[in-house]
Amino acid sequence: MGENASSETHGQLGKRFLSQTAIYGLAMVARALAGFALLPIYTRYLAPSDYGVIELLTMLVEFSAIFFGARIGQSFLRYYGLADSDDERSRVLGSAYGMVAGTHLLGVLMLIVGAALLSRVLFGSDDYSHLVALFSLTLFFGGVLEIPLAFLRAESKAYLVLGFSLWKLFLQISLNLYFLVYLGLGVEGVAVASVLATFISALTVTLAVMRYRRFSFSWSLAKQLLTFSAPIILAALSMFVITYGDRYFIRVNLNLEAVGIYALAYKFGFMLFALGWSPFLTMWDAERYKIYRNSDHHPMFEKVFSLVSVLVMYVALGISVWVDPVLRVMSDPAYWGAAELVPIILMGYVFLAWTSFINMGLFVKAKTHYFGSITMVSALFCLLAYAVLIPFFGLYGAAWATTITFFIRLLAIHWFSFKEFDMGLRWYPPVTALILAVVLVALKFYLVQFWPPFAVALALSLMFPLLVVALGVIPLSQIKDTFGLLLKVRQSKVDKV
């Protein structure tokens, strides 16, 4: 009877671990769907130049969130995950929330005061200053939304994360339909809908978290959070340059219409993270410190990396081969040129995904200054690449500059991180999967000359997993071993409690 109970416990633990990842995956999909579900509307009610305006406003808020948010979310997950008592966890939660709310409020005030100047810098005129001021409100509401969601992840409340993601999805779609389609407010309608959706989401999530844990602010702890995250701020600002800096160069060298087309292509790079990586990373960011604390579980790093790297590569391939038929169905012909840029951008995001896994050594050893310095140098290289490639190669130059920069950054962070902590990773599975995907994407461009795009996409989507199995990239026995290690970690966690 004891064996049965133990077996049931192991089964429940395994289901819990896997179901949490699946639930987080649904939450990430819900967030990504907000952008993709609105694409058919945007591409019919907004010209590419208007879509470019929305992209530049989003870029401004993202930059401000990095600077004024101080990347406290990363610090919160580390200190909350390593806290030894409920009182300490309450102080971590309250300190992180208080800092984020205060700094984001300051950021909004500064954006409103400087709206006219920012409009001239971004768009070359004062005509968009009112949109800058309005859209800046999403900075504050988005900021206070970050820590409560991080808390739910740290507490493994995956269903609540999913529920709030679906709630925000509903708000974004319904409000955009009302202000953009029904009222016909154009870019102003999109801005109002974004502000209201973020405000309502932040309010509801914060109230929900208050039911689970009290907020207790500590200046000393707040200082520790900021000290830990300071180098990450530099890295995040640098990542912003790599991710969004090309939009400015495109606007200056080309036009707002080109910004809109490129932004649409980039949506699919973000989609890779939402579908193929963020569901895993959302869980992994909270769990990897627990795994690190028990050396018996260290083999999990290699097993998990091999498996998820091949899976994310499969998602990247799927998006690359399906993007053309999808765009032809959901968007206006003015946007179809974005499909050719997507595979290049996705390759860069695969490198970014791998980097977010192998940076473990820099975080557990608190050597985040390496992380920041490497990313800053990468950003400077990327700016130079944008300045050189975009004037000559246009949107293709922007895409390749980003991908090459992500690859160089991956190599550098891998070198310094593994000097601090060797995760014991094998590179054969991810690199082989990358080569297979590149070959199949190249084959796609040849086959579409003879077959319908839908048939080509379906054939190549089926071919990749068959080749992975045939070449032994991920043996079936390794998948079984990986799940066994996951069960041991979850069992260890319960036994400790």
Side-chain angles (χ1 to χ4, degrees), residues 354-370:
W354 292 352
T355 304
S356 66
F357 191 100
I358 58 92
N359 63 14
M360 183 74 181
L362 300 182
F363 280 84
V364 296
K365 298 297 184 179
K367 297 295 183 66
T368 50
H369 60 280
Y370 285 129

Side-chain angles (χ1 to χ4, degrees), residues 38-310:
L38 290 169
L39 281 181
I41 301 173
Y42 285 164
T43 55
R44 284 167 174 77
Y45 289 86
L46 293 175
S49 58
D50 291 332
Y51 193 65
V53 171
I54 295 298
E55 180 70 7
L56 291 176
L57 289 172
T58 303
M59 180 185 77
L60 174 63
V61 171
E62 291 288 341
F63 172 80
S64 303
I66 294 169
F67 184 77
F68 292 103
R71 268 317 187 244
I72 298 300
Q74 285 285 344
S75 298
F76 168 80
L77 284 174
R78 180 185 187 275
Y79 281 88
Y80 194 92
L82 298 178
D84 294 322
S85 66
D86 285 341
D87 286 340
E88 185 178 355
R89 282 185 278 272
S90 293
R91 288 194 298 273
V92 173
L93 176 61
S95 302
Y97 189 89
M99 283 191 64
V100 166
T103 56
H104 279 77
L105 181 59
L106 175 62
V108 170
L109 294 175
M110 293 183 67
L111 289 181
I112 292 175
V113 171
L117 174 61
L118 291 169
S119 178
R120 287 193 295 272
V121 172
L122 289 176
F123 305 104
S125 73
D126 296 337
D127 296 343
Y128 300 91
S129 58
H130 66 292
L131 286 174
V132 172
L134 175 61
F135 211 78
S136 67
L137 295 176
T138 62
L139 171 64
F140 175 75
F141 299 132
V144 298
L145 179 63
E146 177 187 8
I147 299 303
L149 286 177
F151 165 80
L152 295 177
R153 289 163 52 196
E155 290 289 336
S156 299
K157 297 186 182 299
Y159 281 105
L160 283 178
V161 174
L162 174 60
F164 286 120
S165 297
L166 292 174
W167 170 235
K168 188 176 182 182
L169 171 64
F170 167 77
L171 290 171
Q172 288 175 305
I173 293 177
S174 59
L175 290 171
N176 272 279
L177 285 173
Y178 179 71
F179 287 103
L180 178 59
V181 178
Y182 181 72
L183 295 182
L185 296 180
V187 176
E188 287 81 0
V190 175
V192 172
S194 298
V195 171
L196 289 178
T198 311
F199 162 67
I200 298 172
S201 298
L203 178 63
T204 52
V205 175
T206 299
L207 292 176
V209 168
M210 287 180 174
R211 296 181 54 194
Y212 289 98
R213 187 170 297 282
R214 65 185 179 85
F215 288 52
S216 177
F217 189 84
S218 167
W219 280 109
S220 61
L221 185 54
K223 183 179 179 181
Q224 293 179 47
L225 291 169
L226 183 60
T227 300
F228 178 84
S229 64
I232 305 177
I233 299 173
L234 178 61
L237 288 171
S238 302
M239 278 300 301
F240 169 85
V241 171
I242 299 172
T243 304
Y244 285 102
D246 45 11
R247 313 305 198 275
Y248 180 77
F249 282 91
I250 292 170
R251 205 276 297 171
V252 171
N253 289 279
L254 300 174
N255 49 46
L256 279 174
E257 181 177 353
V259 174
I261 294 172
Y262 189 77
L264 177 60
Y266 229 92
K267 282 284 187 182
F268 291 92
F270 294 146
M271 190 66 171
L272 172 64
F273 246 60
L275 290 178
W277 194 254
S278 288
F280 161 76
L281 192 63
T282 301
M283 174 276 301
W284 188 251
D285 272 346
E287 293 289 335
R288 62 178 181 169
Y289 295 108
K290 301 168 189 174
I291 296 170
Y292 172 78
R293 293 173 72 173
N294 188 337
S295 59
D296 292 338
H297 296 150
H298 285 187
M300 176 184 287
F301 289 124
E302 188 276 325
K303 301 290 186 181
V304 172
F305 179 65
S306 296
L307 182 58
V308 298
S309 294
V310 173

